[in-house]
């Protein structure tokens, strides 16, 4: 990287990724902004059988949204659905990376 880009990255890091950067950004944070009504809305979440996608599906489902899980692994997708990760999920969409097709449900694969 060039010296200019390194300098800009260092300045940005010192302003945003340090304790002082966190404290200045947290002044504008409003906790009520997280209270979102997701009812009667449809969400398509990729990777919803683990990690951030799983948590996003759970939070959206708790707030009344309808979540379609898009997963590559049918076994872990069914496990995630059965473990009440997504109690408002009408179905699981399986994505096949090799042929770029989407199958509805694990039984059609």
């Amino acid at each position: 990287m060039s010296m200019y880009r390194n300098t800009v990255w260092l300045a940005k890091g010192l302003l945003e990724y340090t304790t002082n950067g966190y404290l200045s950004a947290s002044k504008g944070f409003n906790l009520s902004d997280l209270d979102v009504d997701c009812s009667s809305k449809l969400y398509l979440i990729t990777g919803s059988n683990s990690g951030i996608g799983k948590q996003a599906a759970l939070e959206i489902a708790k707030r009344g949204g309808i979540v379609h899980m898009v997963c590559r692994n049918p076994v872990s997708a069914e496990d995630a659905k059965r473990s009440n990760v997504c109690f408002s999920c009408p179905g699981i969409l399986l994505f096949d990376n090799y042929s770029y097709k989407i199958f509805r449900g694990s039984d059609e694969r």
Side-chain angles (χ1 to χ4, degrees), residues 23-37:
L23 293 174
S24 65
S26 65
K27 291 177 185 173
F29 180 75
N30 189 1
L31 191 59
S32 64
D33 289 343
L34 297 177
D35 297 330
V36 179
D37 181 28

Side-chain angles (χ1 to χ4, degrees), residues 19-63:
T19 303
N20 289 334
Y22 169 77
L23 293 174
S24 65
S26 65
K27 291 177 185 173
F29 180 75
N30 189 1
L31 191 59
S32 64
D33 289 343
L34 297 177
D35 297 330
V36 179
D37 181 28
C38 298
S39 61
S40 72
K41 293 180 184 174
L42 181 73
Y43 296 89
L44 186 71
I45 300 180
T46 58
S48 54
N49 56 338
S50 65
I52 294 174
K54 184 177 183 178
Q55 190 62 34
L58 178 63
E59 289 297 321
I60 290 171
K62 282 181 182 177
R63 295 166 195 252

Side-chain angles (χ1 to χ4, degrees), residues 59-101:
E59 289 297 321
I60 290 171
K62 282 181 182 177
R63 295 166 195 252
I66 300 169
V67 178
H68 287 279
M69 300 171 64
V70 179
C71 305
R72 290 182 291 174
N73 187 344
V75 175
S76 61
E78 288 294 335
D79 289 343
K81 188 174 179 183
R82 265 185 266 130
S83 67
N84 284 337
V85 167
C86 189
F87 39 84
S88 73
C89 296
I92 297 173
L93 301 174
L94 295 174
F95 180 72
D96 185 6
N97 281 346
Y98 299 108
S99 63
Y100 298 105
K101 293 181 181 177

